[in-house]
Amino acid sequence: MKNDCAAKAATRVHEDNADFPRTELVVKTRKTMPLKSFTDEVRACRDLERFLKTPTILLDIPHTQLYKIMEEMVTKLQKNLDMDEEIAIQATQGFFTSQHQDDTLTSVTQLRQTIQGVKYRSQGQTEFEQSWLTTVCVLPNIKQSYVGIARLRHPVNFGANCEEVKFVVVVISPQKQKFTKSAVEIGRTFSTLLMVDVQLRLQLTEAEDEAQFKDVLGKYLHQLKDRRCHKEDVEMSGKSENREGDKSYSWRDVGRGVYDDLRRRLPHYKSDYVDGIVGKNTISKLLATVLFLYFACLLPDIAFGTLYQESTGGKLNVFTCILSQTFGGLMFAIFGGQPLLIMLTTAPLALYVKVIKMISSTFTWNFSAMYTMVGIWNAIFLLLEAFFNLSFLMKYSTRSTEEIFGFFIALAFTADAVTATITDFDLNYNFPSATDVNSTAVIGQCPTADLCFRPVNSILYLVLMLGTLWLGMTLLHFKNSPYLSARKREILADYSLPISVVTFAFLGSFIFRDIKSEPFYYNKETAFELSVPDVSNLPVVAHLAAMGLGLCLSCLFFVDQNVSGAFVNAPQNKLRKGSAYHWDLVVVALINTVLSIFNLPWLHAALPHSPLHVRALADTEQHVTSIGTVHDEIVRVRETRLSGILSHLLIGASLFFVDILQYIPVSVLQGLFLYLGLSSFIGNQMFERMLLIFTEESSYSPTHYVRNVPQRTVHMFTLVQFIQLIVVSVFGFVNLYYLKMIFPVILLLLLPIRHKILPKFIEKKYLDIMDQ
């Protein structure tokens, strides 16, 4: 009987201790973080301010067990901040990796997540700051963050590298929370306070009660704010001094900017060719870029040539667009200062030519002569702007103004594709009524020029357009996929545009050849006649009008050319050979003088082709920031003229088989427009900030403006940019010629709006941060 009782007792003891000893794995990740900047990061002072409004402070805690300390602190938080009892229990347990909570939890290694200070000495020595410890906890069912600070009665040994802890900071935060308000970020704020200022720790140690403890933190917060204001004043004065000390040009320094550009770029002229053939994977990159530029320039020339054909009555057409692209692109690639800029006729130029045609028709002036004179006056004003150093005004062009213009260009490409699709559906996506079944109006026929019963054509149009976009974007981002080898993925990404265009052109012209669709208009017999218009027959009023139109047109050229140059020469592209804004204006003026004389379409540097050209010639790597985010970073760009020269030689060769190019369906051209438009949104900070409005705060990327600018200010700045974009779009898209005449002036007005009006509503320091 006694043996049975002893066996049962042993069984009960065994069952009670069945889980002990328990074996498990604990993952420890050591992650470094920068100290929080109280002068730059907007949340730093706000975290301390919020804590001081309802502080939870415990002084001279006698416990030496971590669990007891945490339990007492959470109890104080529950009492001070009206925390739910169940949440308090979850929080106490959530700080530890072990689910068995008792007095045995005494080591820092048993805490789930901690923050400590560390100093790296010479010869690889690491020294931990052992006087304080921050521990954080994340709970899914709370609405706000809680912070508590405990000062222990005596320094306590919590284990390795944590042997004389005097202060313990606890942070409890919701799971779904904006990055800058997360538990780790709040913990980083208080850890930085205890890490960087020994005097502050001494004053907190000597505080006699909670009120004095709070007073010490309040005075320190006031000092931090004073330092922040002082730093801003120093930065502003420093910027003023730099602005005064910058190498500037006055109107007396005629031609100085052009001279400096030539002196800067000429020593690199030989390397502009060598860099296109020397180096690892350079030949492959060059060939991929040549093919990319061939399709990216040729197909828009075909599309804009069709627009010119309609708006000018055939004076300008597809052939003249390709011829102009060949001549202008080659000349700029050879003689331009920044060869990575890509010359192209653009939608604003096509609209401006339409305005000239409308004015010429209204006053019965010869359009060809008027076109020539407007182009010559435009070139004259461009030369004046170059030699009087007006490109130096681009120092006032900020990232935000450039992105508004880039966003507008992307919208223009996208709008062209959408408009063309709607037009095709209006024409073809129709069905005969019941009364028309027995008549000539049957499926597949066109009773009138404006009405066709060919719904299958519209469906194919949509498939080819969206297919070109889908394949191009998929291959462009294929390098981020796990398939194939890294080199093969990179090759597919480099050739994404040519592959998508060729693939869907083949599908549309051969696989679906039974579905007849209208090709772009091209008449070989009347394609081009080399002649110089007689401008002497224009009346004086026409010459004055041409001068006015030329002045407005030069503003458009000035903005497009310089903004494209700013995108190309952006610091993140890491170009080494320098810019040439003034000389590039001279080259563009001379090129367009020749084009104007022979009635060929005008050209200037274009978006998004120019920055996409840079990206095509670049080697990129994925970099991990100190806060754990991953982003693509340009390592090197092959600054060469060969890509521009070879691609435009290919475009010139296309003049001999323009009729063969008609096999490329118009829908594929529109798919290319969508590709160019949507791909230019990548990296556009304005577009990214617009998405933040519809993004959950906990999913915000930790960008510099999210960390350093108040959220409300970020959204207000984005809203102001959006309003400016709407105004620019109204003047750019509305089909009223007098609005299009002043469209270039509207673009220039973005500069004074940014520097004179916006600072009245948004603090300048925040504007500068968002323009970084």
Side-chain angles (χ1 to χ4, degrees), residues 1-27:
M1 190 72 175
K2 289 182 179 180
N3 291 336
D4 291 341
C5 291
K8 290 179 179 179
T11 302
R12 283 196 299 270
V13 171
H14 177 74
E15 290 174 351
D16 291 341
N17 296 285
D19 292 337
F20 296 96
R22 184 172 74 248
T23 303
E24 62 184 6
L25 301 177
V26 177
V27 178

Side-chain angles (χ1 to χ4, degrees), residues 352 373-391 543-558 562 582 585-586 588-590 592-593:
Y352 209 84
M373 288 308 304
V374 172
I376 290 175
W377 276 113
N378 168 57
I380 292 172
F381 285 118
L382 287 177
L383 290 173
L384 292 174
E385 291 164 2
F387 283 101
F388 282 96
N389 312 308
L390 292 188
S391 285
H543 284 281
L544 294 175
M547 182 172 65
L549 290 169
L551 176 61
C552 290
L553 183 61
S554 69
C555 293
L556 178 61
F557 269 75
F558 181 84
N562 284 291
H582 306 88
L585 274 184
V586 173
V588 170
L590 296 177
N592 281 279
T593 299

Side-chain angles (χ1 to χ4, degrees), residues 280-462:
K280 183 180 178 181
N281 298 330
T282 297
I283 298 297
S284 174
K285 280 281 186 182
L286 178 65
L287 293 177
T289 305
V290 168
L291 286 178
F292 165 77
L293 291 180
Y294 174 74
F295 286 103
C297 294
L298 178 64
L299 300 188
D301 283 335
I302 293 173
F304 289 129
T306 304
L307 291 179
Y308 280 129
Q309 174 75 33
E310 297 173 359
S311 61
T312 65
K315 297 290 184 181
L316 305 179
N317 50 53
V318 172
F319 188 91
T320 58
C321 271
I322 298 176
L323 180 60
S324 173
Q325 182 71 45
T326 303
F327 171 77
L330 271 177
M331 291 299 101
F332 192 86
I334 295 172
F335 299 109
Q338 177 51 275
L340 297 182
L341 291 171
I342 296 300
M343 307 295 288
L344 196 72
T345 189
T346 61
L349 287 180
L351 296 173
Y352 209 84
V353 170
K354 186 176 181 180
V355 170
I356 298 173
K357 176 64 175 177
M358 292 170 62
I359 294 175
S360 300
S361 300
T362 302
F363 295 97
T364 63
W365 296 333
N366 183 276
F367 167 73
S368 298
M370 193 69 179
Y371 181 88
T372 297
M373 288 308 304
V374 172
I376 290 175
W377 276 113
N378 168 57
I380 292 172
F381 285 118
L382 287 177
L383 290 173
L384 292 174
E385 291 164 2
F387 283 101
F388 282 96
N389 312 308
L390 292 188
S391 285
F392 195 71
L393 292 174
M394 291 308 293
K395 70 176 183 178
Y396 297 109
S397 176
T398 61
R399 177 169 183 162
S400 59
T401 55
E402 293 164 4
E403 288 185 336
I404 291 172
F405 184 71
F407 205 113
F408 168 76
I409 296 299
L411 284 180
F413 277 109
T414 306
D416 284 342
V418 173
T419 302
T421 304
I422 293 174
T423 301
D424 184 85
F425 267 74
D426 288 340
L427 174 64
N428 292 313
Y429 199 77
N430 301 293
F431 297 90
S433 62
T435 57
D436 294 329
V437 172
N438 296 324
S439 64
T440 58
V442 294
I443 294 294
Q445 295 187 5
C446 298
T448 66
D450 300 326
L451 178 66
C452 293
F453 299 107
R454 300 183 300 188
V456 67
N457 288 53
S458 296
I459 299 299
L460 180 62
Y461 189 102
L462 197 62

